Amino acid sequence: MIDSPSNNQPMEAVPIPEGAVALPLAEGATLKELAIAALKKTLEIRNLDLPLNTGFSPKNLNQLLKLNHFAVQVVATGFTSDQITIPLKPWFKKGSAPQLLLIAQVDDENNVVHFPGALTAEEFVALVSSSITEKQNITIPIEKFSGGVDRLLRFVRFLELSAISQNGLAVNQESSLLGSEISKKIKATLSIAALLGGALIVGPEIFRPRLSLNLASLPINSIKVSSSRSALSSTQQAICLLSPAISDTESKAEPTAEISIDQPLIFSLTPLSEISIFRNGQIAWSEIASPGKSIQAPISWPIEPIESGQEYSLRLRPKGTSIGEQVNLKLRLTTKQSLLKITPIISSLGKNESLWVKTINRKLKQDSNLALALLFSEDAPKIKTLNFGKQKLSNINTCSE
């Protein structure tokens, strides 16, 4: 809610975040009602036919909604709040706890709703103190949430229901701070035990939910198309790029991707008409789509491996644009030393299917460029777990999936 200024003070304008949803005025609507109405409108605007079963009472702050069968807790606060209070009662219902948490900032005077982001159950548990009780709420800074409503939509469209647990929280649990060093060590030990023991029974399929969750968490970069002509068309174009991951899109004339491997994957979710690789300012490789067609993604690095000391950049032109309307992406090496060479990494993985899945899982959080290059490598094992992830990623076609 935007506070009204006093008679002696000028009105302070509050900028409306990009992607905020404006709703028709509704007298007496609660913040939560407005948040869910905004979620419904978002689905309509994007033409997403996802089952949404609210069935909630406006007075019941603990009730969950079901979005594409996922249990989602929606919590709302004022438009200018920098923190949000989360009711914890639903999180103690083992087997029916929330799988996802979506927060909303609501201006209930103007009926404008902004979704800062969403967390998975695991991510939420990682923020919760071990001393909680069933009667408590918890207050979390808004900055802990990211990805907007897009992140929620990717989770519910990408993942299988089994990928996110509904076990929630345990009262006075010994440790729910999964980010602590002790928990990390315990978690790593359990993962190794699952690899050595469980994999003997079900093979790499044991990792499928974790792989799906990590893939759904990948950020998708939206890069506005620039033009060498005097003006763009009335519709501003953008390219949704999954790899290389963008590290800088605002402060420099060209967006920048930091890479640590010598053969990064080129993966645009936006259909492309043209793509070129430049080395030291000269074209090293280029592909132009046939009329009416687009370049198929993803593209394994098509030229010699990147060398330290050389300058590389990409030029990407979306389908349906004219020559000169493009994205120029600079590739910046993360180290001045030698880059990671992907060929020896692939050789070290050999034909060990579980090791492939485990390595990709780990690298998705550490170096998404390397993880995706491994996932789409021609040498990756043709197993259901990896094929499922590749299919889901390839089916995304916008930044908001």
Side-chain angles (χ1 to χ4, degrees), residues 223-228 239 241 246 248-249 252-257 276 278 312-317 324-331:
I223 315 171
K224 291 183 179 180
V225 172
S226 60
S227 177
S228 59
I239 286 180
L241 194 65
I246 307 302
D248 193 340
T249 59
K252 297 183 180 297
E254 291 184 344
T256 302
S276 300
F278 289 79
Y312 294 83
S313 63
L314 302 178
R315 177 185 293 167
L316 311 172
R317 181 165 66 87
E325 296 178 356
Q326 62 204 23
V327 162
N328 296 310
L329 175 64
K330 181 180 179 181
L331 303 185

Side-chain angles (χ1 to χ4, degrees), residues 195 199 202-207 211 348-361 379-387:
L195 173 64
V202 294
E205 288 301 301
I206 192 171
F207 297 104
L211 179 68
S348 69
L349 298 176
K351 297 183 179 181
N352 188 327
E353 296 176 355
S354 294
L355 185 58
W356 271 89
V357 179
K358 181 183 177 183
T359 301
I360 292 171
N361 257 331
D379 296 299
K382 307 301 188 288
I383 55 176
K384 188 183 297 183
T385 304
L386 299 184
N387 291 340

Side-chain angles (χ1 to χ4, degrees), residues 98-381:
Q99 293 169 286
L100 296 161
L101 170 61
L102 174 69
I103 68 164
Q105 291 175 300
V106 181
D107 174 3
D108 57 350
E109 287 185 357
N110 300 295
N111 281 19
V112 176
V113 179
H114 168 57
F115 296 105
L119 293 177
T120 65
E122 182 184 65
E123 290 168 338
F124 177 72
V125 169
L127 297 175
V128 177
S129 167
S130 60
S131 62
I132 57 174
T133 68
E134 191 169 351
K135 296 180 181 180
Q136 290 180 327
N137 299 328
I138 188 167
T139 300
I140 299 177
I142 297 288
E143 64 184 18
K144 295 294 184 181
F145 295 80
S146 63
V149 71
D150 298 335
R151 193 166 194 258
L152 174 78
L153 296 179
R154 284 203 299 274
F155 285 138
V156 300
R157 297 187 68 193
F158 192 103
L159 302 178
E160 295 179 329
L161 281 174
S162 60
I164 306 180
S165 169
Q166 285 193 268
N167 288 335
L169 297 165
V171 179
N172 295 324
Q173 56 192 4
E174 183 174 346
S175 175
S176 60
L177 290 175
L178 302 184
S180 68
E181 291 302 317
I182 294 178
S183 296
K184 285 181 180 178
K185 292 178 181 178
I186 295 175
K187 186 177 179 183
T189 302
L190 293 176
S191 297
I192 293 171
L195 173 64
L196 297 178
L200 296 176
I201 301 173
V202 294
E205 288 301 301
I206 192 171
F207 297 104
R208 181 168 172 175
R210 173 65 51 210
L211 179 68
S212 299
L213 183 60
N214 288 338
L215 287 171
S217 300
L218 285 174
I220 301 176
N221 303 111
S222 176
I223 315 171
K224 291 183 179 180
V225 172
S226 60
S227 177
S228 59
R229 302 183 304 166
S230 58
L232 276 174
S233 61
S234 58
T235 302
Q236 176 68 60
Q237 294 279 347
I239 286 180
C240 303
L241 194 65
L242 192 61
S243 175
I246 307 302
S247 55
D248 193 340
T249 59
E250 299 295 337
S251 62
K252 297 183 180 297
E254 291 184 344
T256 302
E258 289 193 352
I259 58 170
S260 63
I261 58 174
D262 64 346
Q263 298 182 65
L265 187 75
I266 304 172
F267 196 168
S268 169
L269 304 177
T270 303
L272 300 176
S273 288
E274 184 177 353
I275 178 171
S276 300
I277 299 176
F278 289 79
R279 180 174 52 219
N280 296 330
Q282 302 295 319
I283 292 182
W285 177 87
S286 183
E287 182 176 350
I288 300 176
S290 302
K293 298 186 179 296
S294 59
I295 298 172
Q296 296 298 312
I299 299 172
S300 297
W301 189 252
I303 61 174
E304 309 84 45
I306 292 175
E307 299 177 4
S308 299
Q310 307 291 312
E311 294 185 356
Y312 294 83
S313 63
L314 302 178
R315 177 185 293 167
L316 311 172
R317 181 165 66 87
K319 182 179 179 181
T321 58
S322 302
I323 294 176
E325 296 178 356
Q326 62 204 23
V327 162
N328 296 310
L329 175 64
K330 181 180 179 181
L331 303 185
R332 183 170 61 200
L333 310 187
T334 57
T335 174
K336 294 182 180 179
Q337 306 301 320
S338 60
L339 290 166
L340 291 174
K341 297 184 182 300
I342 195 168
T343 299
I345 295 175
I346 290 174
S347 298
S348 69
L349 298 176
K351 297 183 179 181
N352 188 327
E353 296 176 355
S354 294
L355 185 58
W356 271 89
V357 179
K358 181 183 177 183
T359 301
I360 292 171
N361 257 331
R362 185 175 69 252
K363 293 301 179 182
L364 280 169
K365 293 187 175 182
Q366 300 171 354
D367 187 343
S368 64
N369 292 328
L370 174 56
L372 290 173
L374 290 173
L375 178 63
F376 286 93
S377 167
E378 293 183 358
D379 296 299

